[in-house]
Amino acid sequence: MLMRTLFHGWLSKRGPRVGSYDVVRTRFVTLPTDQDILRHMNNGVYLSIMDIARLDLLHRTGIWPIFTARGWYPVVVSETISFRKSLTVGQRFTVESRILGFDEKAVYVEQRFVRPDADGNPEILALGFIRGRFLKRSGGVVGIEELLAAVGPAPAGLTVPTWLLEWSADVALPATRATAPSLWE
């Protein structure tokens, strides 16, 4: 995965520039090392490829240099993915990534794994969502107001679907272990 990440990082810096809220399309090919024992792409690989596609989004929108100049870096707070069809070795596919919006603390990104169906129309194979935050290398969290001041305002009408906000609240871990209920106790 490291070599793929470095390769796509190199491509991203040279790829066409897009607006901060545009859909970014990142192309991939499934590799033999992506496969599990059932000869389809391992579910964990999807999440790693989503990371690479988000890096492409950050580079091609011009956001990455802004973050590095300020000493900021992204982290995933939570993520979910649903699968429709498998990818097998050698198949070409595209990950379409876009920023859905923000809540008071985080950014939400939608990522779709697509490839042409038998008629040449794009078919969604898997659909993932992440909730991410940005941290400061000097310590602390980048607030949404600070983030938007650096990268520009969000377009009018950009909203996170209610179900995704509810999912985020439902899967959030408590701040400390002492308050976390155990399923095994």
Side-chain angles (χ1 to χ4, degrees), residues 111-165:
Q111 295 184 277
R112 303 180 336 162
F113 288 73
V114 298
R115 63 177 268 111
D117 65 11
D119 298 323
N121 299 313
E123 180 178 24
I124 299 172
L125 307 175
L127 179 61
F129 297 91
I130 70 107
R131 180 175 190 255
R133 310 253 339 242
F134 297 93
L135 303 180
K136 299 176 182 180
R137 295 208 182 277
S138 59
V141 176
V142 179
I144 296 303
E145 299 80 22
E146 188 177 8
L147 176 72
L148 293 174
V151 301
L158 189 73
T159 59
V160 179
T162 302
W163 73 265
L164 193 54
L165 294 170

Side-chain angles (χ1 to χ4, degrees), residues 4-5 23 54 76 93 102 110 137 144 149 176 185:
R4 182 183 262 166
T5 302
V23 173
R54 285 191 307 278
V76 172
F93 63 96
F102 310 89
E110 175 185 23
R137 295 208 182 277
I144 296 303
T176 65
E185 292 175 358

